[in-house]
Amino acid sequence: MASKIALVTGASRGLGKDSALQLAKKGFDIILTYQSKKEAADEVVKEIETLGQKAFALPLDIATTTGFDHFVTEVESILNTHFYSAKLDALVNNAGIGLSESFETTTEETLDAMTNIHFKGPYFLTQKLLPLLNDASSVVNTSSGLARFSMPGYAAYGAMKAAVDALSRYQALELGYRKIRVNSIAPGAIETDFGGGVVRDISDINKHLASETALGRVGLPDDIGSVVAFLCSEESKWINGQRIEVSGGFKL
């Protein structure tokens, strides 16, 4: 039986990388994207191949919609030539950047960047990929715990992630006629290089966040990827239009 195929954006590192690896462990072949770190993306491809699955890395700037038509054409070509398939079975909108800036000092340029990367980009990329998504496929959008709780410095980022949660519900409703499921996943604080690696590298911040988490620690990448893989699989076939926070019980 042919493997299902997932496209994961921003998978050269961090949560996207772990999501791609966890999907491969569930038997998915992977198309992954990177913005600039081609060597890191190629290493992820090799790791996926050692798991017995096919993989291919493509460049993508999620902030610039003008490149989306070309990207979709590339995906269609790769599906035909590398995977011998016409369609995708899952889309994981993971690509993003961290930003900490007070509401008072946020510039219009910064807000536009947050909008383009975290909301406008995934909105139109998903729209343009719809012809390449199989019916009954799964879309997972990446939100954040910061869409539920508030911390100083994350007004722009948190607001965009709240928009992602709302968008996911509308997508689930409007794509239901094709049996396409759409959910958002909301990670809490995770030990990665996201946002400059503050959670991973600054001990006092790590300890403080752990102290506010019911399970007593901050998250690790493999706390997230397995949930993404679950949401892309048949095991979650009746979960739709939901925001799933994966934070260990932060700020309960």
Side-chain angles (χ1 to χ4, degrees), residues 80-241:
N80 291 325
T81 60
H82 193 76
F83 297 97
Y84 310 110
S85 173
K87 297 289 181 73
L88 297 164
D89 301 285
L91 169 62
V92 181
N93 286 308
N94 167 79
I97 62 171
L99 175 78
S100 178
E101 190 167 335
S102 74
F103 170 76
E104 292 177 293
T105 60
T106 300
T107 64
E108 188 172 352
E109 181 182 30
T110 296
L111 183 61
D112 285 346
M114 288 291 98
T115 304
N116 291 340
I117 292 167
H118 293 288
F119 184 73
K120 182 180 177 181
Y123 189 111
F124 286 108
L125 182 65
T126 303
Q127 183 191 80
K128 289 182 178 294
L129 284 169
L130 284 176
L132 296 184
L133 281 172
N134 271 319
D135 289 352
S137 58
S138 174
V139 177
V140 179
N141 295 320
T142 304
S143 176
S144 169
L146 289 160
R148 174 180 65 86
F149 50 79
S150 303
M151 299 176 71
Y154 292 99
Y157 180 84
M160 287 306 105
K161 292 305 191 181
V164 167
D165 289 332
L167 172 63
S168 300
R169 292 192 296 273
Y170 278 95
Q171 289 173 323
L173 179 66
E174 294 194 29
L175 300 177
Y177 77 98
R178 289 186 53 192
K179 304 297 186 282
I180 293 175
R181 298 183 297 110
V182 186
N183 296 287
S184 60
I185 185 169
I190 309 290
E191 286 189 10
T192 68
D193 59 1
F194 191 75
V198 292
V199 175
R200 179 190 63 197
D201 301 333
I202 301 178
S203 177
D204 287 347
I205 290 177
N206 190 298
K207 288 177 182 177
H208 172 70
L209 294 170
S211 73
E212 294 200 54
T213 304
L215 295 182
R217 65 170 176 85
V218 298
L220 301 172
D222 68 359
D223 292 323
I224 308 300
S226 57
V227 182
V228 171
F230 164 72
L231 289 173
C232 291
S233 75
E234 282 297 302
E235 296 168 9
S236 62
K237 64 181 180 292
W238 205 233
I239 299 177
N240 192 27

Side-chain angles (χ1 to χ4, degrees), residues 48-102:
I48 292 168
E49 290 173 343
T50 64
L51 295 170
Q53 299 301 132
K54 294 178 182 178
F56 199 96
L58 288 171
L60 173 68
D61 183 357
I62 195 66
T64 308
T65 59
T66 53
F68 286 3
D69 286 335
H70 176 68
F71 175 75
V72 171
T73 299
E74 283 189 306
V75 171
E76 187 171 22
S77 175
I78 293 304
L79 283 170
N80 291 325
T81 60
H82 193 76
F83 297 97
Y84 310 110
S85 173
K87 297 289 181 73
L88 297 164
D89 301 285
L91 169 62
V92 181
N93 286 308
N94 167 79
I97 62 171
L99 175 78
S100 178
E101 190 167 335
S102 74

